[in-house]
Amino acid sequence: MMRMRVVTAALLLGLGACGGGDDGGDDGGTVDHRPNVTGAYASTGTMTLVIFGQSQTNDFSDTIRIAASAGSNKSALNLRSDAFECGDGFPGTMTGERAFSVQQTECQVHLDEQNCDGTLTVRSGTGNRDEAGTLHLSMKGDFSSRNCAPIPVTGQFTMELTGNRTGE
């Protein structure tokens, strides 16, 4: 049980990112709806980890930063987390006027406080900003640690976050 707490603490310090619901159809890429979701969001929610077949849910908070990706693609997004650094961030794609999906991404993680390394693989994620301005994010995937516990640990995670723009 101690191993699960150590790994959970390490992952909670290092994770945060993307996902949520879908609010409608695709406009064929002719209108740039990215400003409807871009910005920084102070977010709170839960993260559920499944390690050694046991599930544990913890409160989680993060600031999620969503930006339009450079180039001519009017649907490309980039999502970043203040709590979790993932190289170039998590790529996303607008799927509606205020909805997006998160693309599969693999990140190498190093947590200085625990001096541990690992890999986070986002398998799926969605997000939307509702009419009231609240961002809803959901993300699922796998993780593995190499030296956060006495033995390598692998498992799955599910993250559910909601938040409002911070004004940044």
Side-chain angles (χ1 to χ4, degrees):
M1 189 61 174
M2 179 61 171
R3 276 189 235 148
M4 187 167 179
R5 276 187 245 159
V6 169
V7 172
T8 299
L11 289 170
L12 286 175
L13 287 171
L15 295 177
C18 322
D22 185 3
D23 74 344
D26 185 6
D27 64 12
T30 58
V31 177
D32 189 350
H33 292 296
R34 295 176 296 179
N36 294 338
V37 299
T38 57
Y41 296 85
S43 303
T44 60
T46 60
M47 182 183 311
T48 302
L49 302 174
V50 179
I51 304 170
F52 302 122
Q54 295 181 351
S55 177
Q56 182 174 343
T57 300
N58 297 286
D59 292 335
F60 187 73
S61 62
D62 193 3
T63 298
I64 305 299
R65 300 175 190 281
I66 304 174
S69 289
S72 61
N73 184 341
K74 292 181 182 178
S75 65
L77 296 171
N78 183 277
L79 297 100
R80 292 186 178 270
S81 163
D82 281 2
F84 176 71
E85 294 192 26
C86 182
D88 294 330
F90 298 90
T93 302
M94 293 297 295
T95 59
E97 188 175 333
R98 293 183 311 270
F100 59 90
S101 64
V102 180
Q103 310 308 309
Q104 184 167 321
T105 306
E106 182 174 289
C107 304
Q108 300 305 308
V109 181
H110 179 76
L111 304 172
D112 290 327
E113 288 111 14
Q114 282 76 31
N115 192 28
C116 78
D117 298 297
T119 301
L120 173 75
T121 304
V122 175
R123 299 282 179 211
S124 64
T126 56
N128 75 341
R129 185 168 180 245
D130 64 25
E131 291 184 27
T134 302
L135 184 72
H136 302 273
L137 306 168
S138 177
M139 192 168 60
K140 295 180 179 186
D142 304 312
F143 66 86
S144 62
S145 70
R146 288 183 285 284
N147 58 353
C148 298
I151 61 171
V153 176
T154 61
Q156 296 78 42
F157 73 91
T158 302
M159 187 182 309
E160 301 286 338
L161 295 172
T162 59
N164 294 305
R165 280 188 175 154
T166 65
E168 293 180 43

